[in-house]
Amino acid sequence: MMTNTSQDDLNLRSQDAICVNESELARPWYFNLKYALVGVAFGVVFIKAQIVSWFRIQEMFRFESFHMYGIIGSAIAVGALSVFIIKRFNIRTIEGEQVVFHKKEFNKGQIIGGLMFGLGWAITGACPGPLFAQIGYGSTVTIVTLLSAILGTWVYGYIREKLPH
Amino acid sequence: MMSQPWPWYIAGPLIGLTVPALLLLGNKSFGISSSMRHICAACLPANVPFFNYDWKKELWNLFFVGGIFLGGLLAAQLLAAPTEIVVHEDLRNDLAKAGLNSYSSIMPQELFSWQQLTTLRGWIFIVFGGFLVGFGTRYAGGCTSGHAIMGLSTLQWPSLIATCCFMIGGLVMTHFILPFLLSL
């Protein structure tokens, strides 16, 4: 581990990531179990609405079904409304912290990487979330897909400085 | 209800609620692909600057994806739909031409199984596809959850560009490349 200041560390963690938030509160590890519970609910919805199905993703890209568009569209609508309400009424977290939003900066990666992910999404029929749910569902071979995706992430990190951003 | 597939207007809003749930439980922005970066940082940082950070501070993300795995397990064991998956007739016909006829699982068994790893077609769908997902999401700085849902919910235009590129990549693959890959 390098000797980073905590601000350096946060800057590094925030690279190419949307979901990094620095809480001022230091909590024991089991405080993370609440996120596991959200994950469980999320995973159940993934399976029950067949979002993790290769067939549903194919139907989406072939414009043969409204199902996935309805799901993504209504999820964004509910998410945006929630964010609006949180901002408008300055709603705080259950621990009383102010909710922080991070501005996303544009870089070329969103285009090149986005296209690459799109190609992979249509092949595997899964984005990263569904990979975990598919393995839970019992598709053990998806472990290979996940390991390969982790390898892809690693290779990106390894050659990151040489790529256009 | 519990054993039938859920309609989009139930599932979509539930997924959208993940955004405020994570924000209000602990100031966490919804995102999933970062978990794979944290796994790299935890297991094989190898002096790559991109992976040398305090991954334990992002432990919540690993608990979250662990929960997704458990949720998949629970749904499959306790709430599974007994019927075959119903897909559009045109898709069914096109897949039949490529020798894909099994609808008993969420994925076509003729493509995604351990035996297929020994074939070129299976290798492309299982290994190469996964690599593109991992490399592409990190290069793009997020996936469907981070960009399409969290990013668009907070009205960030870079996320709109990323989401459009996800769709363009998927459309190009589905309409121009996949027919060839399936015929391998």
Side-chain angles (χ1 to χ4, degrees), chain A residues 9 12-13 15-16 18-19 21 34 40 48 53-54 56 58-59 61-62 74 94 98-100 102 104 127 136 140 148-149 154 164, chain B residues 2 6 12 24-25 27 29 37 44 52-54 58 67 73 79 86-88 94 106 114 127 130 134 138-139 144 146 156 175 178:
Chain A
D9 193 71
L12 186 59
R13 265 184 288 139
Q15 259 176 5
D16 302 325
I18 202 156
C19 59
N21 272 31
K34 58 191 174 187
V40 168
K48 289 310 301 176
S53 168
W54 186 88
R56 292 281 168 265
Q58 276 297 300
E59 283 179 342
F61 285 130
R62 292 163 56 108
S74 58
I94 54 170
Q98 174 137 30
V99 175
V100 183
H102 296 268
K104 195 85 198 141
C127 19
T140 53
S148 186
W154 193 88
Chain B
M2 292 317 277
W6 294 354
L24 297 179
L25 279 174
N27 234 342
S29 293
R37 183 186 176 198
L44 196 66
N52 276 280
Y53 58 92
D54 188 3
E58 301 296 332
L73 190 79
L79 309 167
V86 182
V87 306
H88 194 277
D94 281 353
I106 50 176
W114 289 97
V127 180
R138 197 71 281 119
Y139 196 1
T144 332
Q156 314 225 31
H175 293 274
L178 214 59

Short mmCIF file of all heavy atoms in Angstrom, two decimals, chain A residues 9 12-13 15-16 18-19 21 34 40 48 53-54 56 58-59 61-62 74 94 98-100 102 104 127 136 140 148-149 154 164, chain B residues 2 6 12 24-25 27 29 37 44 52-54 58 67 73 79 86-88 94 106 114 127 130 134 138-139 144 146 156 175 178:
data_model
loop_
_atom_site.label_atom_id
_atom_site.label_comp_id
_atom_site.label_asym_id
_atom_site.label_seq_id
_atom_site.Cartn_x
_atom_site.Cartn_y
_atom_site.Cartn_z
N ASP A 9 -6.09 9.50 -1.63
CA ASP A 9 -6.73 8.19 -1.73
C ASP A 9 -8.14 8.34 -2.29
O ASP A 9 -8.56 7.57 -3.16
CB ASP A 9 -6.77 7.54 -0.34
CG ASP A 9 -7.12 6.07 -0.44
OD1 ASP A 9 -6.27 5.30 -0.91
OD2 ASP A 9 -8.24 5.71 -0.08
N LEU A 12 -8.00 9.07 -5.99
CA LEU A 12 -7.66 7.87 -6.75
C LEU A 12 -8.86 6.94 -6.86
O LEU A 12 -9.19 6.44 -7.93
CB LEU A 12 -6.49 7.16 -6.04
CG LEU A 12 -5.89 5.96 -6.77
CD1 LEU A 12 -5.37 6.38 -8.13
CD2 LEU A 12 -4.75 5.39 -5.94
N ARG A 13 -9.55 6.76 -5.75
CA ARG A 13 -10.72 5.88 -5.76
C ARG A 13 -11.81 6.43 -6.67
O ARG A 13 -12.59 5.69 -7.25
CB ARG A 13 -11.28 5.73 -4.33
CG ARG A 13 -10.77 4.52 -3.60
CD ARG A 13 -11.45 4.38 -2.26
NE ARG A 13 -11.01 5.39 -1.33
CZ ARG A 13 -11.82 6.03 -0.48
NH1 ARG A 13 -13.11 5.75 -0.44
NH2 ARG A 13 -11.34 6.93 0.34
N GLN A 15 -11.43 7.92 -9.48
CA GLN A 15 -11.11 7.83 -10.90
C GLN A 15 -12.02 6.83 -11.59
O GLN A 15 -12.17 5.71 -11.13
CB GLN A 15 -9.66 7.32 -11.06
CG GLN A 15 -8.67 8.40 -11.35
CD GLN A 15 -7.27 7.84 -11.40
OE1 GLN A 15 -7.06 6.64 -11.29
NE2 GLN A 15 -6.31 8.71 -11.54
N ASP A 16 -12.59 7.23 -12.71
CA ASP A 16 -13.42 6.32 -13.50
C ASP A 16 -14.46 5.60 -12.66
O ASP A 16 -14.75 4.43 -12.88
CB ASP A 16 -12.56 5.27 -14.23
CG ASP A 16 -11.54 5.91 -15.12
OD1 ASP A 16 -11.84 6.96 -15.69
OD2 ASP A 16 -10.44 5.36 -15.23
N ILE A 18 -18.31 6.13 -10.45
CA ILE A 18 -19.41 7.04 -10.17
C ILE A 18 -19.88 6.87 -8.74
O ILE A 18 -20.53 7.73 -8.17
CB ILE A 18 -20.56 6.81 -11.17
CG1 ILE A 18 -21.45 8.05 -11.26
CG2 ILE A 18 -21.36 5.56 -10.83
CD1 ILE A 18 -22.21 8.16 -12.54
N CYS A 19 -19.53 5.76 -8.12
CA CYS A 19 -20.19 5.42 -6.86
C CYS A 19 -19.26 5.53 -5.68
O CYS A 19 -19.34 4.76 -4.75
CB CYS A 19 -20.81 4.04 -6.93
SG CYS A 19 -19.63 2.77 -7.29
N ASN A 21 -18.28 7.56 -2.49
CA ASN A 21 -18.70 8.61 -1.57
C ASN A 21 -17.89 8.48 -0.30
O ASN A 21 -17.77 7.39 0.25
CB ASN A 21 -20.18 8.49 -1.23
CG ASN A 21 -21.05 9.24 -2.21
OD1 ASN A 21 -20.70 9.35 -3.37
ND2 ASN A 21 -22.17 9.72 -1.75
N LYS A 34 -26.21 -3.66 5.91
CA LYS A 34 -27.43 -3.04 5.39
C LYS A 34 -27.38 -2.93 3.86
O LYS A 34 -28.40 -3.04 3.19
CB LYS A 34 -27.66 -1.67 6.02
CG LYS A 34 -26.53 -0.68 5.83
CD LYS A 34 -26.69 0.57 6.71
CE LYS A 34 -25.47 1.46 6.59
NZ LYS A 34 -25.48 2.58 7.52
N VAL A 40 -29.72 -7.92 -1.71
CA VAL A 40 -30.58 -9.10 -1.77
C VAL A 40 -31.91 -8.73 -2.46
O VAL A 40 -32.36 -9.42 -3.39
CB VAL A 40 -30.86 -9.66 -0.36
CG1 VAL A 40 -31.99 -10.69 -0.40
CG2 VAL A 40 -29.60 -10.29 0.23
N LYS A 48 -36.64 -12.14 -10.66
CA LYS A 48 -38.09 -12.24 -10.84
C LYS A 48 -38.58 -11.49 -12.07
O LYS A 48 -39.58 -11.86 -12.67
CB LYS A 48 -38.81 -11.73 -9.59
CG LYS A 48 -38.69 -12.63 -8.39
CD LYS A 48 -39.04 -14.08 -8.69
CE LYS A 48 -40.47 -14.24 -9.20
NZ LYS A 48 -40.73 -15.66 -9.58
N SER A 53 -31.86 -12.18 -17.80
CA SER A 53 -31.97 -13.17 -18.87
C SER A 53 -31.32 -12.69 -20.16
O SER A 53 -31.60 -11.59 -20.64
CB SER A 53 -33.44 -13.49 -19.13
OG SER A 53 -33.56 -14.23 -20.32
N TRP A 54 -30.50 -13.52 -20.73
CA TRP A 54 -29.87 -13.25 -22.03
C TRP A 54 -30.94 -12.99 -23.09
O TRP A 54 -30.79 -12.11 -23.94
CB TRP A 54 -29.01 -14.46 -22.41
CG TRP A 54 -28.18 -14.29 -23.64
CD1 TRP A 54 -26.93 -13.78 -23.72
CD2 TRP A 54 -28.54 -14.67 -24.98
NE1 TRP A 54 -26.48 -13.81 -25.02
CE2 TRP A 54 -27.44 -14.36 -25.82
CE3 TRP A 54 -29.67 -15.26 -25.56
CZ2 TRP A 54 -27.45 -14.60 -27.19
CZ3 TRP A 54 -29.67 -15.49 -26.93
CH2 TRP A 54 -28.57 -15.16 -27.73
N ARG A 56 -33.95 -11.69 -22.71
CA ARG A 56 -34.59 -10.37 -22.54
C ARG A 56 -33.69 -9.25 -23.11
O ARG A 56 -34.18 -8.28 -23.67
CB ARG A 56 -34.87 -10.09 -21.07
CG ARG A 56 -35.95 -10.97 -20.47
CD ARG A 56 -37.35 -10.51 -20.85
NE ARG A 56 -38.33 -11.52 -20.49
CZ ARG A 56 -38.80 -12.44 -21.35
NH1 ARG A 56 -38.42 -12.43 -22.61
NH2 ARG A 56 -39.66 -13.35 -20.95
N GLN A 58 -31.51 -9.66 -25.52
CA GLN A 58 -31.61 -9.78 -26.97
C GLN A 58 -32.89 -9.12 -27.49
O GLN A 58 -32.87 -8.38 -28.46
CB GLN A 58 -31.58 -11.26 -27.39
CG GLN A 58 -30.18 -11.82 -27.51
CD GLN A 58 -29.40 -11.11 -28.59
OE1 GLN A 58 -29.76 -11.11 -29.76
NE2 GLN A 58 -28.31 -10.46 -28.20
N GLU A 59 -34.00 -9.39 -26.84
CA GLU A 59 -35.28 -8.76 -27.25
C GLU A 59 -35.18 -7.25 -27.19
O GLU A 59 -35.72 -6.55 -28.04
CB GLU A 59 -36.43 -9.23 -26.33
CG GLU A 59 -36.92 -10.63 -26.62
CD GLU A 59 -38.02 -11.04 -25.67
OE1 GLU A 59 -38.16 -10.41 -24.59
OE2 GLU A 59 -38.74 -11.99 -25.98
N PHE A 61 -32.43 -5.33 -27.59
CA PHE A 61 -31.63 -4.80 -28.70
C PHE A 61 -32.28 -5.05 -30.06
O PHE A 61 -31.96 -4.40 -31.04
CB PHE A 61 -30.21 -5.39 -28.67
CG PHE A 61 -29.34 -4.80 -27.59
CD1 PHE A 61 -28.64 -5.61 -26.72
CD2 PHE A 61 -29.23 -3.42 -27.46
CE1 PHE A 61 -27.82 -5.06 -25.72
CE2 PHE A 61 -28.42 -2.87 -26.47
CZ PHE A 61 -27.73 -3.69 -25.61
N ARG A 62 -33.21 -6.01 -30.12
CA ARG A 62 -33.93 -6.27 -31.37
C ARG A 62 -35.27 -5.53 -31.41
O ARG A 62 -36.06 -5.74 -32.32
CB ARG A 62 -34.15 -7.78 -31.52
CG ARG A 62 -32.86 -8.57 -31.76
CD ARG A 62 -33.06 -10.06 -31.50
NE ARG A 62 -34.13 -10.62 -32.28
CZ ARG A 62 -33.95 -11.45 -33.32
NH1 ARG A 62 -32.75 -11.81 -33.67
NH2 ARG A 62 -34.99 -11.92 -33.98
N SER A 74 -38.44 3.42 -16.08
CA SER A 74 -39.15 3.71 -14.83
C SER A 74 -38.17 3.75 -13.66
O SER A 74 -38.38 4.50 -12.69
CB SER A 74 -40.28 2.70 -14.58
OG SER A 74 -39.78 1.38 -14.53
N ILE A 94 -29.72 8.32 7.36
CA ILE A 94 -30.23 7.84 8.65
C ILE A 94 -29.26 8.19 9.78
O ILE A 94 -29.63 8.17 10.94
CB ILE A 94 -30.50 6.33 8.64
CG1 ILE A 94 -29.26 5.55 8.19
CG2 ILE A 94 -31.68 5.99 7.74
CD1 ILE A 94 -29.39 4.04 8.38
N GLN A 98 -25.28 14.92 5.54
CA GLN A 98 -25.83 15.52 4.34
C GLN A 98 -25.54 14.61 3.15
O GLN A 98 -24.44 14.10 3.01
CB GLN A 98 -25.19 16.89 4.11
CG GLN A 98 -25.60 17.52 2.80
CD GLN A 98 -25.91 19.00 2.95
OE1 GLN A 98 -25.35 19.68 3.80
NE2 GLN A 98 -26.82 19.47 2.13
N VAL A 99 -26.53 14.40 2.29
CA VAL A 99 -26.33 13.55 1.12
C VAL A 99 -25.48 14.30 0.10
O VAL A 99 -25.74 15.45 -0.22
CB VAL A 99 -27.68 13.14 0.50
CG1 VAL A 99 -27.46 12.34 -0.78
CG2 VAL A 99 -28.48 12.32 1.50
N VAL A 100 -24.43 13.62 -0.38
CA VAL A 100 -23.48 14.26 -1.29
C VAL A 100 -23.63 13.68 -2.70
O VAL A 100 -23.74 12.46 -2.86
CB VAL A 100 -22.03 14.02 -0.82
CG1 VAL A 100 -21.04 14.75 -1.72
CG2 VAL A 100 -21.86 14.46 0.63
N HIS A 102 -21.93 13.67 -6.65
CA HIS A 102 -20.68 13.98 -7.33
C HIS A 102 -20.94 14.28 -8.79
O HIS A 102 -21.65 13.56 -9.47
CB HIS A 102 -19.70 12.81 -7.20
CG HIS A 102 -19.29 12.56 -5.79
ND1 HIS A 102 -18.18 13.14 -5.24
CD2 HIS A 102 -19.87 11.82 -4.82
CE1 HIS A 102 -18.09 12.76 -3.98
NE2 HIS A 102 -19.10 11.95 -3.70
N LYS A 104 -20.06 14.31 -12.59
CA LYS A 104 -19.29 13.43 -13.46
C LYS A 104 -18.64 14.27 -14.55
O LYS A 104 -19.31 15.04 -15.23
CB LYS A 104 -20.24 12.40 -14.07
CG LYS A 104 -19.57 11.22 -14.71
CD LYS A 104 -19.24 10.14 -13.72
CE LYS A 104 -18.20 9.20 -14.33
NZ LYS A 104 -17.20 8.78 -13.39
N CYS A 127 -24.99 -7.10 -17.72
CA CYS A 127 -24.09 -6.07 -17.24
C CYS A 127 -23.52 -6.59 -15.92
O CYS A 127 -23.88 -7.69 -15.48
CB CYS A 127 -24.81 -4.73 -17.10
SG CYS A 127 -26.59 -4.78 -17.02
N GLY A 136 -25.71 -16.58 -8.59
CA GLY A 136 -26.58 -16.99 -7.50
C GLY A 136 -27.72 -17.87 -7.99
O GLY A 136 -28.12 -18.83 -7.34
N THR A 140 -23.35 -21.64 -12.96
CA THR A 140 -21.98 -21.63 -12.42
C THR A 140 -20.95 -21.19 -13.46
O THR A 140 -19.92 -20.64 -13.11
CB THR A 140 -21.59 -23.01 -11.89
OG1 THR A 140 -21.82 -23.98 -12.92
CG2 THR A 140 -22.39 -23.37 -10.66
N SER A 148 -13.47 -13.16 -16.01
CA SER A 148 -12.95 -12.52 -17.21
C SER A 148 -13.22 -11.02 -17.17
O SER A 148 -12.39 -10.22 -17.62
CB SER A 148 -13.60 -13.16 -18.44
OG SER A 148 -13.02 -12.67 -19.60
N ALA A 149 -14.38 -10.64 -16.65
CA ALA A 149 -14.70 -9.21 -16.52
C ALA A 149 -13.75 -8.55 -15.52
O ALA A 149 -13.30 -7.41 -15.73
CB ALA A 149 -16.15 -9.03 -16.08
N TRP A 154 -8.87 -5.27 -14.68
CA TRP A 154 -7.46 -5.20 -14.28
C TRP A 154 -6.60 -4.72 -15.45
O TRP A 154 -5.73 -3.85 -15.28
CB TRP A 154 -6.97 -6.58 -13.79
CG TRP A 154 -5.67 -6.49 -13.08
CD1 TRP A 154 -5.47 -6.25 -11.76
CD2 TRP A 154 -4.37 -6.58 -13.68
NE1 TRP A 154 -4.12 -6.20 -11.49
CE2 TRP A 154 -3.42 -6.40 -12.65
CE3 TRP A 154 -3.92 -6.82 -14.98
CZ2 TRP A 154 -2.05 -6.43 -12.87
CZ3 TRP A 154 -2.55 -6.84 -15.21
CH2 TRP A 154 -1.63 -6.65 -14.15
N PRO A 164 -6.60 6.86 -24.57
CA PRO A 164 -7.14 8.22 -24.66
C PRO A 164 -8.24 8.45 -23.62
O PRO A 164 -9.09 7.58 -23.42
CB PRO A 164 -7.70 8.30 -26.08
CG PRO A 164 -7.89 6.89 -26.51
CD PRO A 164 -6.90 6.06 -25.75
N MET B 2 -45.76 -14.39 -6.60
CA MET B 2 -44.39 -14.68 -6.19
C MET B 2 -43.69 -15.65 -7.13
O MET B 2 -42.48 -15.67 -7.22
CB MET B 2 -44.38 -15.24 -4.76
CG MET B 2 -44.78 -14.22 -3.70
SD MET B 2 -44.05 -12.59 -3.94
CE MET B 2 -42.45 -12.84 -3.18
N TRP B 6 -42.20 -10.90 -12.86
CA TRP B 6 -42.78 -9.61 -12.51
C TRP B 6 -42.78 -8.68 -13.72
O TRP B 6 -41.82 -8.66 -14.50
CB TRP B 6 -41.98 -8.96 -11.39
CG TRP B 6 -42.08 -9.70 -10.10
CD1 TRP B 6 -42.87 -10.78 -9.82
CD2 TRP B 6 -41.34 -9.43 -8.89
NE1 TRP B 6 -42.66 -11.20 -8.52
CE2 TRP B 6 -41.73 -10.40 -7.94
CE3 TRP B 6 -40.39 -8.48 -8.53
CZ2 TRP B 6 -41.21 -10.43 -6.65
CZ3 TRP B 6 -39.87 -8.51 -7.25
CH2 TRP B 6 -40.27 -9.46 -6.31
N GLY B 12 -39.15 -2.02 -12.40
CA GLY B 12 -38.41 -0.78 -12.66
C GLY B 12 -38.41 0.16 -11.47
O GLY B 12 -37.35 0.58 -11.01
N LEU B 24 -29.63 7.20 1.40
CA LEU B 24 -30.10 7.51 2.75
C LEU B 24 -29.54 6.56 3.80
O LEU B 24 -29.44 6.90 4.97
CB LEU B 24 -31.63 7.51 2.79
CG LEU B 24 -32.27 8.59 1.90
CD1 LEU B 24 -33.79 8.52 1.96
CD2 LEU B 24 -31.79 9.98 2.29
N LEU B 25 -29.15 5.35 3.38
CA LEU B 25 -28.57 4.41 4.35
C LEU B 25 -27.15 4.80 4.71
O LEU B 25 -26.65 4.43 5.77
CB LEU B 25 -28.58 2.98 3.79
CG LEU B 25 -29.91 2.23 3.89
CD1 LEU B 25 -29.80 0.89 3.17
CD2 LEU B 25 -30.30 2.00 5.34
N ASN B 27 -25.11 7.46 2.35
CA ASN B 27 -24.46 8.36 1.41
C ASN B 27 -23.74 7.62 0.30
O ASN B 27 -22.66 8.03 -0.13
CB ASN B 27 -23.45 9.23 2.17
CG ASN B 27 -23.69 10.70 1.90
OD1 ASN B 27 -24.37 11.06 0.94
ND2 ASN B 27 -23.15 11.55 2.75
N SER B 29 -23.54 6.23 -3.57
CA SER B 29 -24.09 6.35 -4.90
C SER B 29 -24.16 4.97 -5.54
O SER B 29 -23.21 4.20 -5.47
CB SER B 29 -23.23 7.27 -5.76
OG SER B 29 -23.30 8.58 -5.27
N ARG B 37 -13.41 -3.42 -9.67
CA ARG B 37 -12.16 -2.70 -9.44
C ARG B 37 -11.67 -2.93 -8.01
O ARG B 37 -10.48 -3.11 -7.77
CB ARG B 37 -12.38 -1.21 -9.70
CG ARG B 37 -11.11 -0.40 -9.55
CD ARG B 37 -11.40 1.07 -9.68
NE ARG B 37 -10.20 1.85 -9.44
CZ ARG B 37 -10.21 3.14 -9.15
NH1 ARG B 37 -11.36 3.79 -9.07
NH2 ARG B 37 -9.10 3.79 -8.93
N LEU B 44 -5.09 -8.14 -6.38
CA LEU B 44 -3.90 -8.06 -7.20
C LEU B 44 -3.59 -6.62 -7.59
O LEU B 44 -3.64 -6.26 -8.77
CB LEU B 44 -4.09 -8.92 -8.46
CG LEU B 44 -2.84 -9.29 -9.26
CD1 LEU B 44 -1.91 -10.19 -8.47
CD2 LEU B 44 -3.25 -9.94 -10.58
N ASN B 52 -4.05 1.01 -6.36
CA ASN B 52 -3.44 1.22 -5.06
C ASN B 52 -4.17 2.30 -4.27
O ASN B 52 -3.73 3.44 -4.18
CB ASN B 52 -1.96 1.56 -5.22
CG ASN B 52 -1.13 0.30 -5.35
OD1 ASN B 52 -0.82 -0.36 -4.37
ND2 ASN B 52 -0.82 -0.05 -6.59
N TYR B 53 -5.29 1.90 -3.73
CA TYR B 53 -6.05 2.79 -2.87
C TYR B 53 -6.63 1.94 -1.74
O TYR B 53 -6.53 0.71 -1.78
CB TYR B 53 -7.17 3.50 -3.65
CG TYR B 53 -8.15 2.57 -4.32
CD1 TYR B 53 -9.31 2.18 -3.65
CD2 TYR B 53 -7.91 2.05 -5.59
CE1 TYR B 53 -10.20 1.31 -4.25
CE2 TYR B 53 -8.80 1.20 -6.19
CZ TYR B 53 -9.95 0.83 -5.51
OH TYR B 53 -10.84 -0.04 -6.10
N ASP B 54 -7.21 2.59 -0.78
CA ASP B 54 -7.73 1.87 0.39
C ASP B 54 -9.08 1.26 0.05
O ASP B 54 -10.13 1.85 0.30
CB ASP B 54 -7.83 2.84 1.57
CG ASP B 54 -8.17 2.10 2.85
OD1 ASP B 54 -8.27 0.85 2.81
OD2 ASP B 54 -8.35 2.76 3.89
N GLU B 58 -14.31 1.08 0.45
CA GLU B 58 -15.39 0.81 -0.48
C GLU B 58 -15.99 -0.58 -0.25
O GLU B 58 -16.63 -1.15 -1.13
CB GLU B 58 -14.90 0.94 -1.93
CG GLU B 58 -14.34 2.31 -2.26
CD GLU B 58 -15.39 3.42 -2.16
OE1 GLU B 58 -16.58 3.14 -2.37
OE2 GLU B 58 -15.00 4.56 -1.86
N GLY B 67 -24.81 -9.30 -1.74
CA GLY B 67 -26.26 -9.37 -1.55
C GLY B 67 -26.98 -9.71 -2.84
O GLY B 67 -27.93 -10.48 -2.85
N LEU B 73 -29.78 -16.25 -5.57
CA LEU B 73 -29.89 -17.60 -5.00
C LEU B 73 -31.27 -17.81 -4.38
O LEU B 73 -31.95 -18.81 -4.65
CB LEU B 73 -28.79 -17.76 -3.94
CG LEU B 73 -28.55 -19.14 -3.36
CD1 LEU B 73 -27.71 -19.95 -4.34
CD2 LEU B 73 -27.82 -19.03 -2.03
N LEU B 79 -38.51 -18.71 -5.17
CA LEU B 79 -39.54 -17.99 -5.91
C LEU B 79 -39.51 -18.27 -7.41
O LEU B 79 -40.08 -17.53 -8.19
CB LEU B 79 -39.36 -16.46 -5.71
CG LEU B 79 -39.22 -15.95 -4.28
CD1 LEU B 79 -38.73 -14.51 -4.28
CD2 LEU B 79 -40.57 -16.04 -3.57
N VAL B 86 -40.63 -17.18 -21.83
CA VAL B 86 -41.35 -16.91 -23.07
C VAL B 86 -40.66 -15.78 -23.81
O VAL B 86 -40.47 -14.70 -23.26
CB VAL B 86 -42.81 -16.51 -22.77
CG1 VAL B 86 -43.58 -16.28 -24.07
CG2 VAL B 86 -43.48 -17.57 -21.92
N VAL B 87 -40.25 -16.01 -25.05
CA VAL B 87 -39.56 -14.96 -25.81
C VAL B 87 -40.29 -14.70 -27.12
O VAL B 87 -41.12 -15.49 -27.57
CB VAL B 87 -38.07 -15.31 -26.07
CG1 VAL B 87 -37.35 -15.62 -24.79
CG2 VAL B 87 -37.95 -16.43 -27.07
N HIS B 88 -39.97 -13.58 -27.72
CA HIS B 88 -40.59 -13.16 -28.98
C HIS B 88 -40.35 -14.22 -30.07
O HIS B 88 -39.28 -14.80 -30.16
CB HIS B 88 -39.99 -11.82 -29.41
CG HIS B 88 -40.76 -11.13 -30.49
ND1 HIS B 88 -40.59 -11.45 -31.82
CD2 HIS B 88 -41.69 -10.16 -30.44
CE1 HIS B 88 -41.40 -10.69 -32.54
NE2 HIS B 88 -42.09 -9.89 -31.73
N ASP B 94 -34.94 -17.12 -35.02
CA ASP B 94 -33.54 -16.85 -35.37
C ASP B 94 -32.59 -17.70 -34.54
O ASP B 94 -31.56 -18.17 -35.04
CB ASP B 94 -33.22 -15.36 -35.16
CG ASP B 94 -33.75 -14.51 -36.31
OD1 ASP B 94 -34.22 -15.12 -37.30
OD2 ASP B 94 -33.69 -13.28 -36.23
N ILE B 106 -32.54 -19.02 -17.62
CA ILE B 106 -32.53 -17.61 -17.99
C ILE B 106 -31.57 -17.34 -19.15
O ILE B 106 -31.62 -16.30 -19.77
CB ILE B 106 -32.13 -16.73 -16.78
CG1 ILE B 106 -30.86 -17.26 -16.12
CG2 ILE B 106 -33.27 -16.65 -15.78
CD1 ILE B 106 -30.35 -16.40 -14.98
N TRP B 114 -20.46 -25.20 -19.13
CA TRP B 114 -19.03 -25.51 -19.00
C TRP B 114 -18.49 -26.22 -20.23
O TRP B 114 -17.37 -25.98 -20.66
CB TRP B 114 -18.79 -26.36 -17.74
CG TRP B 114 -18.96 -25.57 -16.48
CD1 TRP B 114 -20.08 -25.52 -15.70
CD2 TRP B 114 -17.99 -24.71 -15.86
NE1 TRP B 114 -19.86 -24.67 -14.64
CE2 TRP B 114 -18.60 -24.16 -14.70
CE3 TRP B 114 -16.68 -24.35 -16.16
CZ2 TRP B 114 -17.94 -23.27 -13.85
CZ3 TRP B 114 -16.01 -23.46 -15.32
CH2 TRP B 114 -16.65 -22.94 -14.17
N VAL B 127 -16.05 -15.97 -22.26
CA VAL B 127 -14.81 -15.34 -21.81
C VAL B 127 -14.61 -13.96 -22.44
O VAL B 127 -14.43 -12.96 -21.75
CB VAL B 127 -13.59 -16.25 -22.12
CG1 VAL B 127 -12.30 -15.59 -21.64
CG2 VAL B 127 -13.78 -17.61 -21.47
N GLY B 130 -17.19 -11.38 -21.39
CA GLY B 130 -16.95 -10.92 -20.03
C GLY B 130 -15.82 -9.90 -19.98
O GLY B 130 -15.90 -8.89 -19.28
N GLY B 134 -15.96 -6.03 -18.52
CA GLY B 134 -15.11 -5.51 -17.45
C GLY B 134 -14.25 -4.34 -17.90
O GLY B 134 -14.18 -3.31 -17.22
N ARG B 138 -15.21 -0.11 -16.96
CA ARG B 138 -14.26 0.70 -16.19
C ARG B 138 -13.75 1.88 -17.03
O ARG B 138 -13.62 2.98 -16.54
CB ARG B 138 -13.11 -0.17 -15.71
CG ARG B 138 -12.31 0.43 -14.60
CD ARG B 138 -13.05 0.47 -13.24
NE ARG B 138 -14.01 1.55 -13.07
CZ ARG B 138 -15.30 1.39 -12.85
NH1 ARG B 138 -15.83 0.20 -12.76
NH2 ARG B 138 -16.11 2.40 -12.71
N TYR B 139 -13.51 1.61 -18.31
CA TYR B 139 -13.07 2.67 -19.21
C TYR B 139 -14.16 3.75 -19.28
O TYR B 139 -13.87 4.96 -19.25
CB TYR B 139 -12.78 2.07 -20.59
CG TYR B 139 -11.96 2.92 -21.53
CD1 TYR B 139 -11.47 4.17 -21.16
CD2 TYR B 139 -11.66 2.45 -22.80
CE1 TYR B 139 -10.71 4.92 -22.05
CE2 TYR B 139 -10.90 3.20 -23.70
CZ TYR B 139 -10.44 4.44 -23.31
OH TYR B 139 -9.69 5.19 -24.19
N THR B 144 -24.57 0.08 -16.44
CA THR B 144 -25.97 0.44 -16.53
C THR B 144 -26.47 1.06 -15.22
O THR B 144 -27.29 1.98 -15.24
CB THR B 144 -26.81 -0.81 -16.86
OG1 THR B 144 -25.98 -1.71 -17.59
CG2 THR B 144 -28.01 -0.45 -17.70
N GLY B 146 -24.48 2.55 -12.66
CA GLY B 146 -23.81 3.80 -12.33
C GLY B 146 -24.13 4.92 -13.30
O GLY B 146 -24.43 6.04 -12.89
N GLN B 156 -26.73 13.96 -15.26
CA GLN B 156 -25.36 14.23 -15.69
C GLN B 156 -25.22 13.89 -17.16
O GLN B 156 -25.41 12.74 -17.55
CB GLN B 156 -24.39 13.37 -14.87
CG GLN B 156 -24.72 13.40 -13.40
CD GLN B 156 -23.49 13.57 -12.55
OE1 GLN B 156 -22.53 14.20 -12.95
NE2 GLN B 156 -23.54 13.01 -11.36
N HIS B 175 -27.12 -6.68 -34.20
CA HIS B 175 -27.61 -6.70 -35.58
C HIS B 175 -26.55 -7.03 -36.61
O HIS B 175 -26.86 -7.54 -37.68
CB HIS B 175 -28.27 -5.36 -35.91
CG HIS B 175 -29.53 -5.15 -35.13
ND1 HIS B 175 -30.75 -5.62 -35.54
CD2 HIS B 175 -29.75 -4.55 -33.93
CE1 HIS B 175 -31.67 -5.30 -34.64
NE2 HIS B 175 -31.08 -4.66 -33.65
N LEU B 178 -23.47 -10.41 -34.01
CA LEU B 178 -23.97 -11.61 -33.33
C LEU B 178 -24.43 -12.71 -34.29
O LEU B 178 -24.17 -13.89 -34.03
CB LEU B 178 -25.11 -11.22 -32.37
CG LEU B 178 -25.18 -12.04 -31.09
CD1 LEU B 178 -23.91 -11.94 -30.29
CD2 LEU B 178 -26.37 -11.61 -30.25
#
